[in-house]
Amino acid sequence: MMSSWTRRRLLRTLPAALAPALLPRGMRAAPASAAPFSRFVDVGSAAGLTHPTFYGEDDKSAYILEVMGAGCAFIDYDSDGWMDIFLLTGRHLDAVPAGASNRLYKNNRDGTFTDVTEKAGLSDAGWAMGVCVGDYNNDGFDDLFVTYYGQNRLYHNNGNGTFTEEAQKLGLGIPGKELGISVADYDRDGHPDLFVANDSMVEFLFHNKGNGTFEEVGLPSGVAVDGDGRTFAGMGTDFADYNNDGWPDLFVDDLANQKYALYRNDGDGTFSYDSSVTGMGGATLLHSGWGVRWMDYDNDGWKDLLIAQAHDLDTIEKTFPDLHYREPPMLLRNLEGKKFVDVGPVSKAVFQQQWVGRGLAIGDIDNDGRLDAVITENGGPAHILMNRTETANHWIGFRLVGHKSNRDGIGAVIRIDTSQGSQWETVTTSSSYLSASDVRAHFGLGRDTSVKAVVIRWPSGIVQTLKNVAGGQYVRVDEPVSISTGHHP
């Protein structure tokens, strides 16, 4: 007999359209063969990420807690300039399986990782879900905040390879039900705003009023519902300027038969629902997305999308044969800000693997300028997707160090000017589904080998300009002490 929870989840899927929307002539997505393939290699187990994520059991999961899954994070916990990996896990309802613990893996700088969980003091077992990374006390070492079904935990980085739990001490034991959060100054007023992905209710957009308060404006801005005015199962989310017009756009994924949501920023405080006209609706209709991140995987100067996928019902195929519980990740290539093409079918490899994808974080593991990824799956090991895409394109990255602003420069907006035009990036680790990514800002440069100008608007209001910066490197930029014009980059 179908459980009441299963029935409720199915009711969320049934009302949506059961066939791809017809696109206007000239706006249909180009075939996958029209776009160059990518090459990502899964090296998770070989690199030393051997512990599975304990969340639910196939055909036995009856409660939503068992199937939601957990996030993951990139964190340079020892400040050596190389991204380390922090993985979360749950447990089973009736027991804590042997080895069930969150895991911290140190980057050995040779393509492998060492499990330093016990040494670091991070071996907690429970229903861990979300993680965020940031230097909350500005001491130069990134800390970890982990949300749980139960007591949340704040791990203070002691700067010596160990962490101390301080959530209760700082008054952080408060629960919530949101799944994804992304950050950007969507109206370019100099104050970072927050988007919150909600499950089967209106989505939230909190406009920063600049006086320490926020106003929820999801409905009037056009991002609370889809193009047909319906709510959807908001899971993972990310802000980025995908069409390089200077205004941050928004992506939200959801369950199959709902289409992933792409909201183009109109530059006047509102957004247009562009899933259909860009080809994204047809490409994603039968898929269920979780962790997601905008990333320029081939460094051509246009931000692409990598998405971890799987349904939340492990029995979905018994009722809907066209839908699948296990799914490969999806890579949507950005065709100059106009259309998106799923290049997974021609790229093959990891994009043919069937996973119960959940968390996803993006970072450059080997510092080669090609963005890599970590994907977690329920009931299985974590996957490291090393980016081996062959390209003649160039790149540049920035590691901001705030002095008047927060030390990580989170909330800063970076604009680069090249011969191809301009690109914008908001410095943040937050996005995806319950995950945190590399804090360094990354840009693809196409054929350019240098950047004509870099303009940084720090959270403090200071505006800093750099000229003629060579590509092919991560540039450390320290916040100056003097305030410039304050114009938005």
Side-chain angles (χ1 to χ4, degrees):
M1 180 178 294
M2 186 181 296
S3 70
S4 60
W5 176 77
T6 299
R7 285 194 296 271
R8 289 196 300 270
R9 300 295 281 181
L10 287 176
L11 285 174
R12 292 169 26 171
T13 303
L14 286 173
L18 297 178
L22 294 176
L23 303 180
R25 185 180 298 275
M27 295 305 290
R28 294 186 179 94
S33 59
F37 70 91
S38 66
R39 183 167 181 257
F40 286 83
V41 180
D42 181 11
V43 300
S45 295
L49 274 62
T50 56
H51 290 272
T53 298
F54 295 97
Y55 251 97
E57 300 177 76
D58 289 2
D59 296 320
K60 297 180 181 178
S61 301
Y63 298 95
I64 194 168
L65 176 63
E66 296 181 278
V67 303
M68 292 307 291
C72 54
F74 279 108
I75 174 174
D76 182 7
Y77 84 98
D78 51 1
S79 298
D80 65 352
W82 294 78
M83 285 293 118
D84 311 298
I85 296 174
F86 185 64
L87 302 179
L88 306 185
T89 191
R91 47 168 294 179
H92 293 160
L93 285 178
D94 56 352
V96 179
S101 168
N102 300 332
R103 293 286 165 182
L104 177 64
Y105 293 94
K106 176 178 171 55
N107 191 330
N108 297 325
R109 310 186 192 184
D110 60 0
T112 66
F113 291 78
T114 298
D115 187 339
V116 295
T117 306
E118 284 74 21
K119 179 181 178 181
L122 294 172
S123 54
D124 279 342
W127 292 103
M129 296 193 71
V131 56
C132 62
V133 175
D135 182 4
Y136 81 88
N137 59 350
N138 275 354
D139 65 354
F141 295 94
D142 280 338
D143 311 293
L144 289 163
F145 181 69
V146 182
T147 63
Y148 280 78
Y149 176 71
Q151 176 67 47
N152 297 331
R153 294 172 174 84
L154 173 65
Y155 299 103
H156 171 246
N157 190 333
N158 299 316
N160 60 2
T162 67
F163 291 77
T164 301
E165 204 288 305
E166 296 186 343
Q168 293 190 29
K169 172 183 174 182
L170 298 178
L172 297 174
I174 302 174
K177 295 183 179 180
E178 293 75 23
L179 299 178
I181 296 177
S182 53
V183 178
D185 180 8
Y186 78 90
D187 57 351
R188 294 177 52 170
D189 66 353
H191 305 291
D193 311 295
L194 298 173
F195 176 83
V196 178
N198 289 315
D199 188 1
S200 298
M201 58 176 285
V202 293
E203 313 298 303
F204 291 156
L205 178 61
F206 292 97
H207 175 245
N208 189 335
K209 299 172 68 174
N211 60 2
T213 67
F214 289 79
E215 178 184 11
E216 204 288 299
V217 295
L219 280 170
S221 68
V223 301
V225 293
D226 68 13
D228 296 318
R230 297 175 300 190
T231 60
F232 52 87
M235 301 292 191
T237 178
D238 198 13
F239 260 120
D241 179 15
Y242 79 86
N243 55 358
N244 291 344
D245 67 352
W247 297 91
D249 311 294
L250 180 65
F251 176 87
V252 191
D253 57 32
D254 48 34
L255 287 182
N257 286 336
Q258 295 181 337
K259 296 184 292 189
Y260 298 167
L262 179 65
Y263 299 98
R264 175 174 49 82
N265 193 328
D266 295 324
D268 60 0
T270 68
F271 294 76
S272 295
Y273 183 82
D274 273 8
S275 294
S276 295
V277 297
T278 58
M280 185 174 291
T284 64
L285 180 65
L286 299 180
H287 299 282
S288 299
W290 300 76
V292 60
R293 184 78 175 188
W294 292 99
M295 59 176 293
D296 185 356
Y297 78 89
D298 56 357
N299 288 330
D300 67 349
W302 298 93
K303 295 177 177 63
D304 315 294
L305 276 168
L306 181 64
I307 309 163
Q309 301 188 128
H311 208 278
D312 61 349
L313 290 177
D314 51 24
T315 58
I316 188 65
E317 293 166 42
K318 296 179 181 178
T319 310
F320 296 95
D322 289 340
L323 307 184
H324 302 286
Y325 174 54
R326 295 177 176 273
E327 292 193 56
M330 175 179 282
L331 181 61
L332 293 172
R333 185 169 189 261
N334 183 347
L335 302 184
E336 299 185 349
K338 299 178 180 66
K339 300 178 185 178
F340 288 88
V341 174
D342 181 3
V343 296
V346 295
S347 301
K348 301 181 180 180
V350 299
F351 300 103
Q352 293 180 320
Q353 301 297 312
Q354 304 296 316
W355 297 338
V356 187
R358 291 295 188 263
L360 179 148
I362 296 297
D364 187 356
I365 290 174
D366 52 1
N367 289 338
D368 69 347
R370 292 177 291 186
L371 290 176
D372 313 298
V374 170
I375 293 179
T376 63
E377 65 166 322
N378 284 0
H383 305 278
I384 297 179
L385 276 57
M386 295 300 297
N387 188 346
R388 299 292 184 240
T389 303
E390 296 180 7
T391 176
N393 293 327
H394 301 279
W395 63 278
I396 193 169
F398 298 94
R399 177 62 168 102
L400 302 191
V401 179
H403 296 286
K404 186 174 182 180
S405 303
N406 65 85
R407 188 171 180 86
D408 286 331
I410 290 175
V413 177
I414 303 175
R415 187 193 81 210
I416 67 166
D417 299 330
T418 72
S419 66
Q420 312 292 319
S422 299
Q423 297 179 50
W424 288 258
E425 186 77 35
T426 300
V427 177
T428 179
T429 62
S430 298
S431 66
S432 190
Y433 170 79
L434 303 175
S435 299
S437 291
D438 193 337
V439 72
R440 298 175 295 184
H442 170 274
F443 297 88
L445 299 181
R447 300 297 179 178
D448 286 8
T449 58
S450 63
V451 177
K452 293 189 294 185
V454 180
V455 182
I456 304 170
R457 189 185 195 284
W458 293 83
S460 64
I462 292 175
V463 176
Q464 181 178 13
T465 301
L466 311 175
K467 296 287 189 179
N468 300 319
V469 184
Q473 61 172 330
Y474 285 103
V475 181
R476 171 176 166 146
V477 183
D478 282 81
E479 181 182 23
V481 295
S482 60
I483 297 179
S484 181
T485 61
H487 293 310
H488 197 289

